[in-house]
Amino acid sequence: PRPDVSPTATVEAPPPSPTPELITVPDVIGLDERAAIAALEAAGLRPYAELPRYTDTPTYTVTTPGMVFDQLPRGGQLVTATTTVTYAVSLGPSLIDVPNVVTMRSADAEFQLTNLGLVVQRLEAPDRMSAGFVFRMEPQPGVRLRRGDTVTIYISIGDKVTMPRVVGLSEQEARRAIEQAGLFVSFADLQGCDRLPQDVCERYPPGVVVSATIREGELVDRGTGVTIGVRAP
């Protein structure tokens, strides 16, 4: 006799799970925090705030305090519903307390300022401070600047003064101008027409300065002596 064979049981496959709905993350960079939260929640996402941070212009496009400057996932990405989107709010550009570099050597002053992220502009000028040292700076120490801002340092070229114009002045006027400039007349050389070019002799009357050993506008050490040539009778 044939064995009694029961029919094979059929197993039904489970229904396929539904494809999760994908949501486009809104771009909230540049929005204030309240508007960013509202945009994320309206899209069905969970906003999460990181600690506010300072933002520097070279790194971030948004540096206004209170505005969102970073988010993850980025705007435009596709995510599932209830995904958490982290964002960070700017505290503004990081500010630097400008140190006092007056009386420092110019190289040391520039090194300290550039290490803080500041741009240094160097200007040289005469001053009673020793040559090569900073005698002035702008802005003043203690001012708070952003990275990339410029600080101007004035570097001494020594205690030098500018030779004034004396040609064409009387001898007394020339002496006065030279002394007021911080120089002195070391010698007054009387020069007759036999020692002068004809045009110079005709141009200047007797008693008038016709030459000087230091040119007008030249920078010389304070206290330098000047020889002047005076038109003789």
Side-chain angles (χ1 to χ4, degrees):
R2 296 181 59 188
D4 185 14
V5 179
S6 60
T8 304
T10 60
V11 178
E12 294 184 0
S17 26
T19 303
E21 179 187 2
L22 296 180
I23 298 172
T24 302
V25 177
D27 186 358
V28 296
I29 292 178
L31 302 180
D32 62 46
E33 186 171 16
R34 181 176 297 180
I37 292 174
L40 293 172
E41 290 180 341
L45 303 172
R46 297 176 181 173
Y48 176 78
E50 294 183 345
L51 291 176
R53 301 195 298 273
Y54 289 106
T55 51
D56 294 322
T57 303
T59 308
Y60 301 103
T61 57
V62 176
T63 59
T64 306
M67 297 296 183
V68 175
F69 71 90
D70 197 11
Q71 73 175 86
L72 194 68
R74 302 293 184 188
Q77 289 186 339
L78 293 175
V79 296
T80 57
T82 71
T83 294
T84 298
V85 177
T86 61
Y87 65 90
V89 175
S90 173
L91 292 174
S94 55
L95 298 179
I96 302 164
D97 292 323
V98 177
N100 187 3
V101 297
V102 174
T103 73
M104 294 177 62
R105 291 186 181 275
S106 60
D108 296 336
E110 187 170 2
F111 178 79
Q112 182 171 343
L113 293 171
T114 53
N115 270 2
L116 292 173
L118 299 171
V119 176
V120 178
Q121 180 183 28
R122 297 164 53 98
L123 294 178
E124 294 185 340
D127 189 78
R128 292 182 182 250
M129 186 170 289
S130 300
F133 286 80
V134 177
F135 68 89
R136 179 183 165 197
M137 62 183 296
E138 292 177 356
Q140 296 298 314
V143 173
R144 305 193 76 195
L145 299 179
R146 294 180 298 182
R147 294 183 186 277
D149 285 348
T150 300
V151 176
T152 303
I153 57 175
Y154 294 81
I155 303 163
S156 174
I157 59 174
D159 190 9
K160 297 184 179 295
V161 295
T162 303
M163 175 65 185
R165 181 184 68 84
V166 294
V167 174
L169 302 180
S170 68
E171 182 180 350
Q172 293 304 317
E173 290 172 335
R175 286 180 178 273
R176 190 179 307 115
I178 289 171
E179 291 171 359
Q180 288 176 348
L183 306 171
F184 74 96
V185 176
S186 58
F187 181 67
D189 183 20
L190 291 176
Q191 300 175 357
C193 289
D194 58 330
R195 297 176 53 194
L196 295 172
Q198 184 177 354
D199 61 329
V200 174
C201 187
E202 294 174 351
R203 188 185 313 155
Y204 300 110
V208 172
V209 175
V210 296
S211 63
T213 53
I214 301 176
R215 292 176 301 176
E216 175 187 346
E218 186 177 347
L219 286 173
V220 294
D221 293 332
R222 184 183 297 275
T224 299
V226 184
T227 298
I228 57 175
V230 182
R231 164 81 153 78

